[in-house]
Amino acid sequence: MDHFYGPGRNHLFVPGPVNIPEPVIRAMNRNNEDYRSPAVPALTKTLLEDVKKIFKTTTGTPFMIPTTGTGAWESALTNTLSPGDRIVSFLIGQFSLLWIDQQQRLNFNVDVIESEWGQGANLDILASKLAADTAHTIKAICIVHNETATGVTNNLAEVRKILDEYRHPALFLVDGVSSIGALDFRMDEWDIDVALTGSQKALSLPTGIGIVCASPKALEASKTAKSVRVFFDWKDYLKFYNLGTFWPYTPSIQLLYGLRAALDLLFEEGLDNVIARHSRLGKATRLAVEAWGLKNCTQKEEWVSDTVTAVVVPPYIDSSEIVRRAWKRYNLSLGLGLNKVAGKVFRIGHLGNLNELQLLGCLAGVEMILKDVGYPVKLGSGVAAACVYLQNNIPLIPSRI
């Protein structure tokens, strides 16, 4: 029973956690098992092999840690760096801010490159810092691929290009929590050293698995990194990988079976098709926002996100009221504006196991809410703009051709 019951289904359109598909829910509906039995290691082995595909890596080593994305952050940092190491980190929104806070509390020397919220990472400043760092004092570059607070996606290929241009050996660490499995992500091609994601985002699972993937260079760095780590220590995982039992401590059996089902759904649709679907959802949402006469928080087309859209409201409207009314009246969950953009934006998440008609229901709800709070929206305008685009761009479902 829901704590606050509402008829029908809750329309979940925050940028994580996201909708869980029925096959995943059914896969998780099972009893506990002995993780030391032959069954769980056999399952884990297939998961470790297949999870590499969403990172697009053949050389990376994945770790499926029972944690959140925040724990995955800490794992990435403490296994590759030592206290006092200089790292360059980009501050472009709430989640990059939180990662920087963690970096500082872990006693790294954090060189922050800050941009206005709504802008992407300032790569010109990165280039100037790398050019000046002839002694290679910078040990890592940390960047959030997709900043969900502002709906900004950064260009990772360009970061790699700059590192290569200056022949700089710094590790390349990427938060892909709201991008991996939904946006174009190429760990091997972009020579990313550590990438990470969380189960509650594109994988459409409950929160509880932080997936970290480490390059050979990152694994080598972990041998000399002096940061204290216990629960997140890759060395413990590697020991049990070699033993063939895989787990240094108890995993969530139900989440492992759920992950198996989630990966199967992604692969059945095809990862390229999944990315294209998210591109359609993102474009349709942005067309709706434009039709409403509102602005996207993201300031340039090159930075727009296909997993979340942050919508700027007029000064006379508190965006928090939009979110409250969505939940109270329409059983619709939208994302709040966070920190610097609190009260100024609301966020529409279009991420995970989600189709176009579900999105149109959300957009219709947003239009009614805008009308409720006094914004002069023409009902049907955003839905119509999205419909015109989607009707011309939705392909046939591959399994039904």
Side-chain angles (χ1 to χ4, degrees):
M1 175 64 72
D2 290 346
H3 192 59
F4 294 99
Y5 172 73
R9 301 195 69 170
N10 172 252
H11 298 271
L12 184 59
F13 282 86
V14 297
V18 304
N19 298 280
I20 304 174
E22 293 294 335
V24 173
I25 292 174
R26 289 194 294 271
M28 293 187 296
N29 184 20
R30 60 191 305 124
N31 212 329
N32 281 327
E33 296 180 28
D34 176 11
Y35 75 97
R36 294 188 177 91
S37 73
V40 174
L43 171 63
T44 302
K45 187 173 187 292
T46 68
L47 292 174
L48 289 171
E49 290 168 353
D50 282 349
V51 82
K52 292 165 67 173
K53 297 174 185 176
I54 66 170
F55 289 84
K56 290 192 178 176
T57 181
T58 58
T59 61
T61 299
F63 303 96
M64 301 182 299
I65 305 170
T67 187
T68 64
T70 305
W73 281 346
E74 187 166 333
S75 177
L77 295 167
T78 57
N79 278 281
T80 57
L81 299 164
S82 300
D85 278 353
R86 181 186 177 196
I87 60 179
V88 172
S89 201
F90 296 93
L91 200 173
I92 61 169
Q94 177 66 8
F95 294 95
S96 52
L97 173 66
L98 291 173
W99 198 15
I100 288 168
D101 176 64
Q102 185 186 78
Q103 293 158 15
Q104 292 169 335
R105 289 161 71 179
L106 288 168
N107 296 317
F108 301 119
N109 176 14
V110 187
D111 191 343
V112 178
I113 300 177
E114 185 169 3
S115 299
E116 182 182 341
W117 289 32
Q119 296 182 359
N122 191 324
L123 300 185
D124 290 336
I125 295 179
L126 173 64
S128 66
K129 288 183 181 293
L130 293 178
D133 187 35
T134 55
H136 295 164
T137 61
I138 298 171
K139 301 303 180 186
I141 308 298
C142 297
I143 189 168
V144 173
H145 185 198
N146 189 73
E147 173 57 73
T148 55
T150 54
V152 166
T153 301
N154 284 306
N155 189 333
L156 300 182
E158 189 64 24
V159 176
R160 170 44 61 192
K161 181 180 176 182
I162 293 169
L163 279 163
D164 289 348
E165 181 180 346
Y166 293 100
R167 298 182 181 180
H168 202 288
L171 293 166
F172 188 11
L173 276 54
V174 177
D175 168 349
V177 169
S178 61
S179 65
I180 293 172
L183 306 182
D184 188 20
F185 193 91
R186 310 178 193 184
M187 182 170 177
D188 283 358
E189 183 178 331
W190 297 334
D191 201 8
I192 293 168
D193 291 301
V194 186
L196 59 97
T197 191
S199 55
Q200 77 279 15
K201 300 285 187 172
L203 286 167
S204 300
L205 285 161
T207 307
I209 307 178
I211 305 174
V212 181
C213 201
S215 72
K217 180 179 173 182
L219 289 180
E220 192 62 29
S222 72
K223 295 176 182 178
T224 56
K226 293 180 173 57
S227 293
V228 174
R229 66 264 191 193
V230 179
F231 184 77
F232 297 119
D233 199 335
W234 296 347
K235 183 174 63 178
D236 292 344
Y237 275 84
L238 294 171
K239 173 185 173 182
F240 284 89
Y241 286 4
N242 291 332
L243 291 172
T245 52
F246 296 104
W247 291 102
Y249 35 66
T250 310
S252 168
I253 301 299
Q254 291 77 12
L255 279 177
L256 294 183
Y257 280 102
L259 178 57
R260 179 67 273 162
L263 289 171
D264 290 344
L265 289 176
L266 285 176
F267 299 151
E268 183 178 353
E269 185 178 357
L271 192 54
D272 289 341
N273 291 330
V274 172
I275 293 167
R277 172 168 54 81
H278 281 87
S279 178
R280 289 193 301 275
L281 297 173
K283 178 68 173 177
T285 304
R286 293 190 293 274
L287 286 170
V289 172
E290 183 180 345
W292 296 332
L294 296 174
K295 291 185 178 180
N296 195 326
C297 182
T298 313
Q299 295 181 16
K300 288 185 180 179
E301 184 70 22
E302 67 189 83
W303 294 320
V304 295
S305 169
D306 286 332
T307 59
V308 58
T309 300
V311 184
V312 180
V313 298
Y316 62 88
I317 293 175
D318 180 356
S319 66
S320 301
E321 179 57 27
I322 291 174
V323 175
R324 282 192 293 270
R325 186 169 287 262
W327 187 77
K328 287 185 174 183
R329 188 174 189 192
Y330 299 102
N331 204 6
L332 170 62
S333 295
L334 300 170
L336 286 163
L338 302 173
N339 201 321
K340 285 187 178 182
V341 293
K344 300 176 182 178
V345 310
F346 66 93
R347 295 175 297 146
I348 302 173
H350 29 85
L351 168 63
N353 191 270
L354 181 72
N355 64 34
E356 291 84 355
L357 294 188
Q358 287 174 282
L359 177 67
L360 290 172
C362 168
L363 297 178
V366 171
E367 290 188 359
M368 290 189 286
I369 298 156
L370 289 172
K371 199 80 169 175
D372 287 349
V373 299
Y375 179 73
V377 65
K378 180 182 178 182
L379 291 178
S381 58
V383 173
C387 279
V388 169
Y389 168 75
L390 291 172
Q391 194 272 327
N392 286 304
N393 288 279
I394 299 175
L396 293 173
I397 299 170
S399 64
R400 301 181 185 182
I401 295 173

